[in-house]
Amino acid sequence: MKVVYTSEIVEKQCTSIKQAKKLFGGDMRLVQSLFSRITALEQATVLKDIINTPSFHFHHLKNKKGKNLEGYFAIDVKSRKDAWRLILQPLNTMYEPFDPCLIHEIAKIVQIVEISEVSKHYE
């Protein structure tokens, strides 16, 4: 699967050890897990491969505090016990979001995801 990023900052956080260490306050467990998740996304054939991996805890995001998160999903960076997650959005072959984003109908064909942020839950 192809992984793209919403910004250069997000891309560096997901691809640079130095930037990932800074993001996670030096926690190398989280850095290694983040890089492992990015590799898993890149090696997946379609998004369904990620959805079917229970340890990723793929889940919908809900609209919160006026922020429209329709069509965005998250996977855990390490585990449910850690607060960190990758926020991603499935894209079509034209690099546009699916509208509507009916994930169970499109998961078998999605070959591009855009990572919009690496963030802590509830921040």
Side-chain angles (χ1 to χ4, degrees), residues 10 15 26 35 40 62 75 78 89-90 94-95 99 109-110 112 117:
V10 174
T15 58
F35 287 4
K62 297 177 182 163
I75 61 173
K78 182 152 181 54
Q89 182 175 38
M94 303 291 286
Y95 290 82
D99 186 22
I109 63 166
V110 173
I112 306 167
E117 66 181 275

Side-chain angles (χ1 to χ4, degrees), residues 71-115:
Y72 287 87
F73 302 87
I75 61 173
D76 294 332
V77 168
K78 182 152 181 54
S79 71
R80 297 300 303 146
K81 293 177 183 177
D82 292 297
W84 291 93
R85 64 187 180 179
L86 278 171
I87 310 298
L88 56 92
Q89 182 175 38
L91 301 178
N92 64 25
T93 56
M94 303 291 286
Y95 290 82
E96 298 169 341
F98 286 87
D99 186 22
C101 187
L102 305 172
I103 198 64
H104 295 295
E105 293 179 15
I106 63 170
K108 292 180 187 175
I109 63 166
V110 173
Q111 295 181 326
I112 306 167
V113 293
E114 180 177 65
I115 297 176

Side-chain angles (χ1 to χ4, degrees), residues 23-36:
L23 175 68
F24 296 128
D27 188 336
M28 283 306 294
R29 298 176 311 114
L30 289 171
V31 172
Q32 291 170 340
S33 189
L34 172 64
F35 287 4
S36 176

Side-chain angles (χ1 to χ4, degrees), residues 12-22 28 31 35:
K12 285 182 180 179
Q13 289 173 336
C14 294
T15 58
S16 162
I17 290 175
K18 180 179 177 181
Q19 290 302 313
K21 277 178 71 174
K22 182 177 177 183
M28 283 306 294
V31 172
F35 287 4

